[in-house]
Structures are given as structure tokens and as C-alpha cells.
Amino acid sequence: MRVLVTGGAGYIGSVAVDSLIGAGHDVCVFDNLYMGHREAVNSAAEFVEGDLADRAQINEVMSRFQAEAVMHFASYSLVGESVEEPLKYLGDNVSNAVNLIDAALNAGVQRFILSSTANLFDDPETIPISESEKIVPGSPYGESKNIIERILKWVQETKGLRYAALRYFNAAGCTPIKGEDHTPETHLIPLVLQVALGQREKIMIFGGDYDTPDGTCVRDYIHVEDLAQAHILALEALETNETLRFNLGNGNGFSVKDVIETVREVTGHPIPAEVTDRREGDPAKLVADSSKIRRELGWQPRHTDMKSIIQSAWDWHQAHPEGYGS
Ligand code: UFG
């Protein structure tokens, strides 16, 4: 298929583009390089440096490329930042998605895949969290994805655009050629690896008094390659399904302290750590029940072991100590 990928120069999008191309699809990457890297774009993909705020541009690219499907990765995605700057999320994330969905409709696109988030589930009644859990966004970021999911629901019902909402838990790990390189970096695993590389003195643990076994937040870390595979399966499944919603994780919870300890094991570095205040917007525990996508689409994550996920990231960061610029 001809797939337009927004954010295809970013951490998760660039790996999905590799998987799409590996599966024989034609890809156009549309990315403003605000967070993404030109070097991360597969050379077999067309690349357009573009901004979703520019309606004319996305309309022109969508129709010229004759897109049949869209994968929408491009978005602001930091829980903590969204609490500081809510309108960047509730405004830009939402209006950019509206521009993209409008361009998709204008060009006759049939399938749309949204990168959604576990931050929809701030107050889960049941853990692991299934798709039937009530939606309580934990931050303006989570709310922006909730609003976009709601928009897609109505656009599906009124205009027939088929869509999949993939709620990622914590994307992690690297492939041998694609890694995590954000400026500034805010994510736990790359920050802990910066300590191991000698680029940072210690890791700050945000909150030690959560209602979890060791008092630090628990997350479900899922490898980017497994996320990418879920996108390929969802793309195929939209041939016969109008709406798909899946929670994507491994089903295992790891605390911040567990992650730090695993990095110590993998790298052999002592990793000094210090507990500080909680970061606003962080739910205590997010662990996915992904049995629905396993059952319905046959999704099988390959990287289920925390040590191998961190090893894959450590390999990439050692080879690219300054990120893509290395
Ligand atoms: N953390 C620290 N110290 C740090 C950085 C992070 O203790 O220096 C903690 C956070 O408080 C959190 C955990 O490590 O408890 C993971 O934090 P990340 O910033 O790596 O990831 P988040 O859980 O905040 O968010 C990520 C994505 C979101 C997505 C969410 C879904 O960035 O887009 O996973 O769970 F919504």
C-alpha cells in the first residue's frame, strides 16, 4: 500500500517505516524534524519536511503521493511538559490531527492508524489494563489523544474512514540502526544510559512514595520493533475492520528502581540514583493487558525480557553516544 507516515523521522515512527518498507509498502514520511532526525528516515522512503499546521501542504502531499493509508506518529508526547504547557497539547496536537484527518478524507484515504497512549488510563480499576477500562486521561497529553480518538470515532461513523487507535505503554529499546534521540531527553531508559556513558552524574527518581511495591512508578516497557509490528498487523486488519482499539504492552510491570537495577546489570556501571519529588501527571502504575491484539491479530511481541530491551538500547547508545549526530 501507499502509506503516508507523519513523524517517520522520530523514535517510533522511523522503526515503523523500516517495517513497512520491509513488508513491501511504499512510504512517504512527512515530518517537521522538530524532534525527528533526517538520518533516521529509511532511504527507500520519500521524505517531505513538512508541518501539519500547514493545511495546504499536507493536502498537497497527501493527494500527490496518492496515499491509501496514514500512520500518525507526529505529536508532542511528554506527559510532564503537557502539564506545564497544556495548550501545546490540547491545541496543537489536536488541530494538527484534524488537518491530517481532513487531508486524508479529501484524498480518499481508507485507513488511518493513530499513535495513542496508556496515559488514557490514569485511574484504572483493573491492572493489567484492558481496552474495556474506563478512560480517565492522566494529563493534557493523554487528553489530547483521547480527543483525537473521539474525533476518529465520529469521522469513521460519518465519513467511513477506518481507523486503529494503538495505545502504547512505554516504548523502549532500539534496533541496530534506529535509536532514541530526543533533545532534551526526558525518558527514563536513555537518561539512565547517559549515566552509564558518563554523560550524567546520577539519575533522579521522580517520587519514592507511590502506592507500589518499592514506592516508585511502575511501567510496562515495550520494544519499538514490537510496536512497529503491531502497526503492520493493524494496517492489514483495517481491510475488514472499521474500528480497532488496542492496548500495547508486554504485560509486565517494572518500577523505576527495577529499570535502574537492570541497567546496572547490563552496563556494569553503579548508576548513582537519588529520589526527588514526584513529576506531575505521572500515574503510579501502568501495565497493559494486550490479550485482545494477540487474540484478534496474532500479535506476538518478540522482546519481552527487560534485560534484552535495555541491552538493545545500550548497544545503540554506545555506538551513538551523541545520538544521530555521532
Ligand atoms: N522517571 C524518573 N526519572 C527521570 C525520568 C523518568 O524517575 O529522570 C520516571 C517517570 O516519573 C516515570 C517513569 O520514569 O514514572 C517513566 O518515565 P518516562 O518519561 O520514560 O515515560 P512516561 O511514562 O512519562 O511516558 C511515556 C511516553 C508517553 C506515554 C507514556 C505511556 O513518553 O508519551 O509513556 O505510559 F504516554
Side-chain angles (χ1 to χ4, degrees), residues 12 75-80 89 116-120 139 141-142 145 167-171 180 182 185-192 200 202-207 210 216-221 254-257 259-260 274-287:
I12 306 172
S75 119
Y76 300 116
S77 61
L78 300 178
V79 173
Y89 287 76
S116 188
T117 178
N119 199 258
L120 297 184
S139 67
Y141 166 60
K145 294 293 184 173
R167 286 93 171 246
Y168 312 160
F169 282 61
N170 285 56
E180 187 166 11
H182 299 114
E185 188 53 78
T186 63
H187 293 101
L188 180 64
I189 292 175
L191 286 176
V192 184
R200 179 176 292 270
K202 60 186 170 190
I203 185 75
M204 303 304 291
I205 298 175
F206 297 146
Y210 284 96
T216 67
C217 286
V218 170
R219 294 287 180 273
D220 181 337
Y221 293 87
F254 289 88
S255 72
V256 174
K257 285 186 176 169
V259 170
I260 296 169
E274 187 180 316
V275 177
T276 180
D277 295 343
R278 291 182 178 199
R279 185 175 68 181
E280 261 196 88
D282 276 342
K285 191 169 180 189
L286 293 173
V287 179

Side-chain angles (χ1 to χ4, degrees), residues 60-81:
E60 187 275 317
V61 173
M62 189 79 76
S63 70
R64 182 182 49 73
F65 178 66
Q66 298 182 311
E68 297 165 284
V70 169
M71 289 189 184
H72 181 35
F73 294 91
S75 119
Y76 300 116
S77 61
L78 300 178
V79 173
E81 181 188 68

Side-chain angles (χ1 to χ4, degrees), residues 16-291:
V17 168
D18 289 353
S19 296
L20 281 166
I21 286 171
H25 297 287
D26 292 320
V27 176
C28 175
V29 168
F30 187 92
D31 196 302
N32 63 6
L33 301 182
Y34 173 78
M35 292 295 273
H37 304 272
R38 182 66 184 88
E39 305 91 307
V41 179
N42 189 305
S43 57
E46 178 183 340
F47 175 70
V48 176
E49 185 170 348
D51 202 305
L52 290 171
D54 184 341
R55 294 182 78 139
Q57 187 186 23
I58 185 58
N59 268 287
E60 187 275 317
V61 173
M62 189 79 76
S63 70
R64 182 182 49 73
F65 178 66
Q66 298 182 311
E68 297 165 284
V70 169
M71 289 189 184
H72 181 35
F73 294 91
S75 119
Y76 300 116
S77 61
L78 300 178
V79 173
E81 181 188 68
S82 80
V83 178
E84 308 286 324
E85 296 183 67
L87 295 182
K88 185 166 169 182
Y89 287 76
L90 297 165
D92 295 1
N93 270 2
V94 174
S95 66
N96 288 345
V98 168
N99 289 349
L100 179 66
I101 295 166
D102 186 46
L105 289 175
N106 292 340
V109 166
Q110 302 283 325
R111 310 180 198 192
F112 192 102
I113 299 181
L114 172 71
S115 302
S116 188
T117 178
N119 199 258
L120 297 184
F121 307 111
D122 189 47
D123 187 22
E125 261 162 31
T126 312
I127 292 179
I129 302 167
S130 75
E131 292 77 4
S132 58
E133 184 57 68
K134 66 181 185 311
I135 290 182
V136 180
S139 67
Y141 166 60
E143 184 70 88
S144 74
K145 294 293 184 173
N146 182 37
I147 293 168
I148 299 165
E149 285 201 20
R150 302 290 302 163
I151 291 170
L152 283 169
K153 173 195 172 281
W154 285 110
V155 171
Q156 195 288 316
E157 284 183 22
T158 56
K159 301 284 181 184
L161 178 65
R162 297 175 189 168
Y163 77 98
L166 302 182
R167 286 93 171 246
Y168 312 160
F169 282 61
N170 285 56
C174 301
T175 77
I177 52 169
K178 299 288 155 70
E180 187 166 11
D181 177 6
H182 299 114
T183 308
E185 188 53 78
T186 63
H187 293 101
L188 180 64
I189 292 175
L191 286 176
V192 184
L193 292 176
Q194 285 179 4
V195 180
L197 283 169
Q199 297 171 341
R200 179 176 292 270
E201 198 188 318
K202 60 186 170 190
I203 185 75
M204 303 304 291
I205 298 175
F206 297 146
D209 57 352
Y210 284 96
D211 184 16
T212 59
D214 66 16
T216 67
C217 286
V218 170
R219 294 287 180 273
D220 181 337
Y221 293 87
I222 169 166
H223 197 279
V224 274
E225 258 174 359
D226 291 326
L227 280 181
Q229 191 52 30
H231 285 74
I232 303 287
L233 294 172
L235 181 66
E236 290 163 3
L238 285 175
E239 185 171 353
T240 48
N241 291 273
E242 290 175 343
T243 301
L244 296 168
R245 293 188 200 95
F246 293 120
N247 292 356
L248 286 173
N250 275 314
N252 301 314
F254 289 88
S255 72
V256 174
K257 285 186 176 169
D258 291 333
V259 170
I260 296 169
E261 192 50 42
T262 310
V263 174
R264 288 186 182 121
E265 281 175 40
V266 168
T267 65
H269 190 286
I271 315 284
E274 187 180 316
V275 177
T276 180
D277 295 343
R278 291 182 178 199
R279 185 175 68 181
E280 261 196 88
D282 276 342
K285 191 169 180 189
L286 293 173
V287 179
D289 173 353
S290 296
S291 52

